């Protein structure tokens, strides 16, 4: 299992990369990270920044 830290204005998350279903651009330069099972997280950074962080692990 590979965890990656994603920063949010409300606090940080450690997410298992295999549980990420999609990335979607949101307002104010944030990205919505969709999780398997239907939940989502709002994190700081563009889709490109978040994708690069996930790939770098």
């Amino acid at each position: 299992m590979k965890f990656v830290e994603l920063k949010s204005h409300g606090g940080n998350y450690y997410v298992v990369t295999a549980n990420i279903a999609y990335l979607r651009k949101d307002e104010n330069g944030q990205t919505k990270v969709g999780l398997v099972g239907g939940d989502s997280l709002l994190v700081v950074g563009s889709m490109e920044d978040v994708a690069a962080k996930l790939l770098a692990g």
Side-chain angles (χ1 to χ4, degrees), residues 9-51:
H9 291 300
N12 299 341
Y13 299 99
Y14 281 96
V15 180
V16 176
T17 56
N19 288 342
I20 295 174
Y22 66 87
L23 301 176
R24 185 173 75 196
K25 182 179 177 180
D26 210 79
E27 58 188 26
N28 299 323
Q30 298 178 87
T31 299
K32 190 163 282 194
V33 178
L35 303 175
V36 174
D39 203 7
S40 63
L41 306 171
L42 188 60
V43 300
V44 175
S46 68
M47 286 189 345
E48 294 80 9
D49 294 339
V50 174

Side-chain angles (χ1 to χ4, degrees), residues 2-6 13-17 20 53-57:
K2 183 169 138 185
F3 286 89
V4 67
E5 182 181 16
L6 299 176
Y13 299 99
Y14 281 96
V15 180
V16 176
T17 56
I20 295 174
K53 190 167 205 174
L54 294 173
L55 292 173

